[in-house]
Amino acid sequence: MDRAQRQRAMALLPICLALAFSLTAVGSSHWCEGTRRVAKPLCQDHPGELHCLLFIRNSSGRKRDHRSQAVQYIWETGDDKFIQRRFHVGLWQSCEESLSSTGEKCRSFQSVIPAEEQGVLWLSITAEVLNILLILTSTILLGSRMSYHSSGFHWLKVDASVAILMVLAGLLGMVAHMMYATIFQISVSLGPEDWRPQTWDYGWSYCLAWSSFALCMAVSVMAMSRYTAARLEFTEKQRLQRGSQHSQHNLPETEASERV
C-alpha cells in the first residue's frame, strides 16, 4: 500500500505541472514573438520622440500663384527611415511596442487573422479549454484516489479513467497547438499590412503548451502501467483466496473419508 501511494503521489506531480503549464500558456500572449518593420514618424508629429525623421522646411523666395513653395529635406534615407518594433501574440491578443511611450499597444488577435480563419481559431481555443478541463478532472480523480485508502477494483477503474482522460487531453492539446500555428502562419502572409511581422519565432508560452502535452502523455503511460500491474496483482490475490477457501472446504470431507 505504501509503495502504491508513493507511485500515485509521483503521478500527481506531473499532472499538476501539466495543468499549470496549460493555464499559463492559455492566459499569456507569448505564443509567437518577433519584430515588425515600421516607418519612423515625422518629428513634428511626435515631439520629443527619439525614433523619428528629422527634416528642414525651407520657404523659397519665389512665388507661384501667390503661394510659397515649401521644400522638405529628409536626412534619413533607405533603411534609416525604418525601425524594428518587437511584438508578441497569444490566443487572445497581439501586443507590440509603442513608439510614443514605454508601454505596449495591444489589440485582439481575432482582428488580425483572415475572416475565413475565425472559426478555426475558436476551435483551437475550445480544444485548449477542453484540454484544461480534462487535466483538471484527472487531477481530482487521482487526488481522491490518494485520499481514500482502498485497494478494491473500484479504484483500479479510477487509474484506468485517469489514463484515458490524459490521453484525450494530450491529443486535444496537440490538435489545438497545431491549429494555432497554422492560423498564425496564414495571418503572417494574409494579415493586415500594419501587423505583418518581418521576423518571428515561437515564444515561451508555445513551449509551455507542448510541455503540457508531453506531461499528459507521460502520465497516461504511467497510469496505464500502474493499472495493468495492480489489475494482475488483484486477480492473482483473488485466485489464491478462492484456492485456499476451496482447500479448506474439502479438508473435512477428506478427514471423514480417512476415518471410514
Side-chain angles (χ1 to χ4, degrees):
M1 285 294 296
D2 293 338
R3 181 172 61 87
Q5 288 294 329
R6 285 196 299 268
Q7 289 178 351
R8 283 186 287 271
M10 292 177 61
L12 188 61
L13 177 61
I15 291 182
C16 294
L17 285 177
L19 181 60
F21 287 173
S22 293
L23 288 173
T24 304
V26 170
S28 63
S29 60
H30 288 267
W31 284 63
C32 296
E33 301 173 343
T35 57
R36 195 169 70 84
R37 193 184 188 199
V38 182
K40 294 179 181 178
L42 296 178
C43 290
Q44 71 171 11
D45 299 331
H46 295 78
E49 176 64 38
L50 296 178
H51 303 289
C52 61
L53 289 175
L54 300 174
F55 69 97
I56 296 176
R57 185 178 298 276
N58 181 28
S59 297
S60 63
R62 300 168 57 187
K63 294 184 178 180
R64 296 178 183 178
D65 299 332
H66 305 288
R67 291 178 299 179
S68 61
Q69 300 298 313
V71 181
Q72 178 174 296
Y73 299 95
I74 297 177
W75 297 106
E76 285 139 317
T77 59
D79 290 339
D80 293 335
K81 294 167 56 177
F82 301 94
I83 59 173
Q84 301 292 333
R85 296 170 63 178
R86 295 191 59 82
F87 78 96
H88 53 89
V89 185
L91 287 172
W92 311 102
Q93 62 181 2
S94 173
C95 300
E96 64 181 15
E97 293 176 343
S98 178
L99 289 176
S100 58
S101 63
T102 57
E104 292 181 335
K105 182 175 63 175
C106 298
R107 54 180 164 175
S108 173
F109 180 61
Q110 189 177 2
S111 65
V112 301
I113 65 175
E116 58 271 13
E117 301 297 331
Q118 300 283 342
V120 182
L121 176 62
W122 283 111
L123 284 177
S124 176
I125 294 175
T126 302
E128 293 287 355
V129 173
L130 289 177
N131 168 45
I132 292 175
L133 291 178
L134 289 175
I135 297 176
L136 180 61
T137 303
S138 300
T139 305
I140 295 174
L141 286 176
L142 194 59
S144 63
R145 177 70 176 92
M146 294 180 60
S147 301
Y148 298 95
H149 302 283
S150 176
S151 58
F153 185 69
H154 171 70
W155 292 113
L156 296 182
K157 292 181 180 179
V158 172
D159 289 336
S161 300
V162 168
I164 295 173
L165 289 175
M166 293 303 288
V167 166
L168 293 176
L171 293 177
L172 280 173
M174 179 185 67
V175 172
H177 309 339
M178 295 175 65
M179 284 194 298
Y180 178 83
T182 303
I183 294 170
F184 181 80
Q185 293 174 12
I186 293 175
S187 301
V188 169
S189 302
L190 304 178
E193 291 289 344
D194 62 342
W195 178 84
R196 294 182 190 177
Q198 184 181 18
T199 61
W200 64 274
D201 200 354
Y202 296 110
W204 58 266
S205 299
Y206 193 73
C207 296
L208 277 183
W210 279 107
S211 299
S212 176
F213 161 77
L215 287 172
C216 287
M217 303 309 291
V219 169
S220 175
V221 172
M222 292 169 58
M224 185 56 66
S225 175
R226 186 173 61 249
Y227 165 77
T228 303
R231 181 70 178 87
L232 292 175
E233 182 180 357
F234 184 77
T235 304
E236 183 65 20
K237 286 182 178 180
Q238 282 189 331
R239 188 182 64 83
L240 292 176
Q241 289 177 357
R242 285 196 299 267
S244 61
Q245 291 176 358
H246 182 71
S247 60
Q248 291 176 359
H249 177 72
N250 293 335
L251 182 60
E253 296 180 357
T254 305
E255 292 177 353
S257 61
E258 288 178 353
R259 290 193 187 98
V260 172

